[in-house]
Amino acid sequence: MTVRPKTLLTRGNPKILKGAAKGYLTFILHLAPADVSGYNVCAGATDGCKLACLNTAGRGGIPNAKPVKVQTRHGEVTVSNVIQAARIAKTVWFFQDRAGFMAQLVKEIRAGIRYAEKLGLIPVFRLNGTSDLRWETVAVEGASNIMELFPTVQFYDYSKISNRKNIPSNYHLTFSLAENNDIQAFAALARGLNVAVVFKGKQLPTTFMGRSVVEGDATDLRFLDPAGVIVGLVAKGKAKKDQTGFVRAA
């Protein structure tokens, strides 16, 4: 039986929940990363980021009692986790029924705005929780993109794609350093973007790549970071065993 996701957005990530203390409620979209679904949603993926990807962190990595069948681009597969199945199903939905997917996304964003406001929180949205799609190019309901459709709402993401253009003013991007994109990272800094870096150990450096380092693990609210900085993240999970150079020495 193929799993059909009931919802697209979630708000249960522990790091996301830390943002509530600052008055924000983040809703996040998790797709199946890289080409797990048969569709590549991470154009800038590297061996290091695939190893360190948080796709299998937390409940996403805990096997269920029974395997789950889900449809990918290339046919039906069996996975051990219902969350992984849902992420694959969402990704296939995005590529095979874009209009239906986007209609559901708009519906959930509107519902998320209402829910956050009832709690007295500011709703914010991260659509690339485990993907790296160019959302600024995805048209919806007559608008050029979802950010244009919700011009007063803050969207934000991390990205390894160095040539993204025409970024809406309410869409904040943080460039992600990998093991092989230092040149692109320096260019991103020169363009005014911040750069996220995963470091070994528990202590972040004070400077890196000639810029000040700020802590990125306190919350996920990257749009609140000062401009022109390195966002330092401590290696977690599989990233602690990285041998590719993706995780940098502090």
Side-chain angles (χ1 to χ4, degrees), residues 215-234:
E215 182 188 359
D217 285 316
T219 75
D220 194 58
L221 306 173
R222 296 280 69 83
F223 55 91
L224 296 181
D225 295 331
V229 299
I230 300 296
V231 180
L233 304 167
V234 174

Side-chain angles (χ1 to χ4, degrees), residues 38-193:
Y39 295 98
N40 190 357
V41 298
C42 300
T46 66
D47 290 341
C49 77
K50 289 179 183 179
L51 175 67
C53 184
L54 296 177
N55 179 51
T56 57
R59 292 180 296 170
I62 302 174
N64 297 131
K66 295 181 179 180
V68 183
K69 292 182 179 180
V70 63
Q71 194 72 26
T72 71
R73 181 183 186 183
H74 304 301
E76 192 174 70
V77 300
T78 300
V79 296
S80 63
N81 184 286
V82 68
I83 292 176
Q84 297 304 319
R87 291 176 182 176
I88 292 172
K90 291 175 188 179
T91 310
V92 172
W93 188 8
F94 175 79
F95 283 97
Q96 295 188 358
D97 178 17
R98 184 68 54 85
F101 181 99
M102 294 305 294
Q104 178 65 22
L105 181 59
V106 169
K107 178 181 177 181
E108 292 189 30
I109 288 176
R110 287 177 174 148
I113 292 170
R114 293 193 299 269
Y115 179 79
E117 290 177 346
K118 285 182 179 179
L119 297 178
L121 299 173
I122 300 171
V124 293
F125 296 85
R126 182 179 163 197
L127 302 183
N128 280 329
T130 40
S131 57
D132 196 359
L133 295 173
R134 299 175 188 258
W135 287 101
E136 64 275 13
T137 69
V138 181
V140 56
E141 294 191 5
S144 299
N145 49 60
I146 198 80
M147 286 70 70
E148 181 180 303
L149 192 65
F150 295 95
T152 63
V153 175
Q154 180 70 61
F155 294 80
Y156 69 102
D157 274 319
Y158 296 85
S159 181
K160 288 186 179 66
I161 302 174
S162 60
N163 62 346
R164 296 178 70 164
K165 299 177 180 179
N166 301 318
I167 306 301
S169 60
N170 59 329
Y171 189 23
H172 184 279
L173 293 177
T174 299
F175 189 81
S176 293
L177 186 69
E179 67 269 25
N180 61 0
N181 64 355
D182 289 50
I183 292 176
Q184 291 89 341
F186 277 113
L189 286 168
R191 296 197 309 274
L193 294 181

Side-chain angles (χ1 to χ4, degrees), residues 200-241:
K200 297 178 181 179
K202 298 180 180 180
Q203 188 69 37
L204 298 176
T206 56
T207 62
F208 188 79
M209 300 181 82
R211 303 294 183 103
S212 297
V213 176
V214 300
E215 182 188 359
D217 285 316
T219 75
D220 194 58
L221 306 173
R222 296 280 69 83
F223 55 91
L224 296 181
D225 295 331
V229 299
I230 300 296
V231 180
L233 304 167
V234 174
K236 306 170 191 67
K238 295 179 181 178
K240 293 180 179 180
K241 300 180 180 180

